[in-house]
Every structure is written in structure tokens, then in C-alpha cells.
């Protein structure tokens, strides 16, 4: 069974600084997708960024980028120029090709220090 | 914008009651999902549906059932609520039918925080 591990239950970063959230996963599949979702306090969960495993290039969305290391089964999220609105729970998720199911990690709570 | 709504933000029920949680999406999505979210456990899939009247079990279906009579609506049913079902319940929907459209985004509702006493 696939598992997703987020080893940092909580992280904090100074406003305008850069922070990296870690995620590792376990799978025997070669085709899959990885996602980072953000859940702000009392607000709906939204997709931050996605990565297709067949793509070697790391995905980037504005201030958010990933470091995808397929061999190491690692998928970290880097947030540059952190803003107060980035404060949230961040979930890493895995989806196998051809399967509807998303497997989530346990989440990392990110605090932004003004 | 995709909108996924859930019938209640907060719900308090007694042990043994039958509980209905409803989810409605307005984007004609084929796929709908129910998750529960617990601290330290992340989100776990309860059930999902890929079409009207179709359903599949997720990781933790015990104690739950679902109903999808219309495409836009997906209901989660707790036949006899128990205290260990106290949790945050999240509904999600996603476009796409057969074949892999795995990069399609899941859109989440605001969640229902259910307390069973």
C-alpha cells in the first residue's frame, strides 16, 4: 500500500523568508502524481501545486516550487518570500496512475512570524 | 469557479442517531469523495463515487454508507453514530470520467465538524 510521510508536524518561518516542507512517499508504481494542498484556518482546502512523476522538471507556481526526487521518493515544497497568507496546514498527497484514490500525509502546520 | 458546499459547518449528534451529511457541487463533476480528517492522521478516504448510483469503498468505510441519486449531490450516512466518529468530514469533487486524468484537481468543500456525544 502506498504511504505518504510528512515528518514535520509544525514549521515556522519569518515573513519574507524561504521555508521547505518535506514529504516522502512509498510506492512500487512508476506512474503517479504528487500534490501539495493547503488548508488555511477555517477555510477550504485548495491545491497549491502538482507534479507528474514522468516529468523530470520540477513544478513551479509563482512563489511555490517543488523538489521532486523520484529515486529517493521525496517531494518537498519550497515557499519563497513567505507571506502571512501562507499560514495553513499543508498536506502532501499521492495518486497512482489509473486509480481514483488520493493518499494524504498527516500534514505540516506552517506558521508565519511577522 | 467550482463550488462545493456542505450542508452544515458544525453538527452535534447523540450516540446511536442516524446522521446525514450532504455535499453538493455545481460543476457537473463525475467524481465525488468523502474524507474524514483527524489530527495526526491527515485525510482518509471513506467512500467515493464516479457516477450516479455508483460507489466504491475507500480506506475506512466501516460504519458509513453513501448515496448518490443525482450527479451533483453525494450524501454520507452514519447509520448509528458513535463517539469515535467525531471528526471533521470533507467532501470533494473532481472532473473526469474514464481513463487517467489524474492531474485533475480535487475541489474541496468547507467541511463539517461532527461531534457525537
Amino acid at each position: 500500500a502506498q504511504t505518504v510521510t510528512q515528518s514535520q508536524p509544525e514549521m515556522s518561518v519569518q515573513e519574507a523568508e524561504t521555508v521547505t516542507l518535506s514529504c516522502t512517499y512509498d510506492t512500487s508504481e512508476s506512474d503517479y502524481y504528487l500534490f501539495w494542498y493547503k488548508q488555511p484556518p477555517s477555510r477550504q482546502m485548495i491545491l497549491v501545486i502538482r507534479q507528474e512523476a514522468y516529468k523530470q522538471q520540477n513544478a513551479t507556481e509563482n512563489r511555490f516550487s517543488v523538489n521532486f526526487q523520484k529515486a529517493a521518493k521525496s517531494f518537498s515544497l519550497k515557499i519563497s518570500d513567505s507571506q502571512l497568507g501562507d499560514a495553513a496546514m499543508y498536506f502532501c498527497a499521492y495518486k497512482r496512475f489509473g486509480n481514483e484514490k488520493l493518499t494524504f500525509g498527516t500534514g505540516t502546520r506552517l506558521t508565519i512570524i511577522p | 469557479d467550482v463550488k462545493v458546499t456542505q450542508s452544515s459547518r458544525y453538527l452535534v449528534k447523540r450516540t446511536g442517531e442516524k446522521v446525514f451529511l450532504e455535499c453538493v457541487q455545481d460543476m457537473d463533476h463525475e467524481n465525488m469523495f468523502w474524507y474524514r480528517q483527524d489530527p495526526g492522521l491527515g485525510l482518509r478516504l471513506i467512500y467515493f463515487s464516479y457516477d450516479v448510483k455508483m460507489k466504491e469503498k475507500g480506506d475506512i468505510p466501516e460504519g458509513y454508507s453513501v448515496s448518490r441519486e443525482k450527479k451533483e449531490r453525494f450524501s454520507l450516512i452514519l447509520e448509528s453514530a458513535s463517539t469515535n466518529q467525531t471528526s471533521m468530514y470533507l467532501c470533494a469533487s473532481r472532473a473526469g470520467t474514464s481513463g487517467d486524468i489524474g492531474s485533475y484537481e480535487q475541489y474541496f468543500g468547507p467541511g463539517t465538524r461532527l461531534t457525537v456525544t
Side-chain angles (χ1 to χ4, degrees), chain B residues 80-97:
Chain B
S80 178
S82 65
T83 55
N84 62 13
Q85 292 178 310
T86 291
S87 186
M88 170 72 86
Y89 290 88
L90 296 178
C91 175
S93 74
R94 199 201 72 174
T97 52

Side-chain angles (χ1 to χ4, degrees), chain A residues 33 39 44 50 98 101 106, chain B residues 37 40 59 94 100 103 108:
Chain A
Y33 303 87
Q39 186 180 40
Q44 283 165 252
R50 74 190 69 158
K101 182 184 160 185
T106 53
Chain B
Q37 180 181 0
D59 294 323
R94 199 201 72 174
D100 188 74
S103 63
F108 285 83

Side-chain angles (χ1 to χ4, degrees), chain A residues 51-108:
Chain A
Q51 175 80 43
E52 292 86 349
Y54 63 84
K55 290 186 177 179
Q56 293 187 340
Q57 187 170 3
N58 289 324
T60 299
E61 289 286 343
N62 301 313
R63 297 182 296 107
F64 298 87
S65 62
V66 299
N67 183 4
F68 173 48
Q69 301 288 328
K70 191 172 184 179
K73 297 179 183 174
S74 170
F75 182 61
S76 60
L77 175 70
K78 185 171 85 171
I79 306 174
S80 304
D81 185 27
S82 297
Q83 300 175 0
L84 294 178
D86 295 333
M89 280 289 285
Y90 286 83
F91 291 96
C92 178
Y94 164 98
K95 182 186 177 303
R96 180 168 63 88
F97 183 94
N99 190 311
E100 288 293 340
K101 182 184 160 185
L102 267 180
T103 300
F104 285 85
T106 53
T108 297

Side-chain angles (χ1 to χ4, degrees), chain B residues 32-48:
Chain B
M32 297 187 75
F33 306 81
W34 275 107
Y35 296 89
R36 65 177 281 176
Q37 180 181 0
D38 299 288
L41 296 178
L43 278 75
R44 293 176 292 167
L45 182 64
I46 305 171
Y47 268 98
F48 69 95

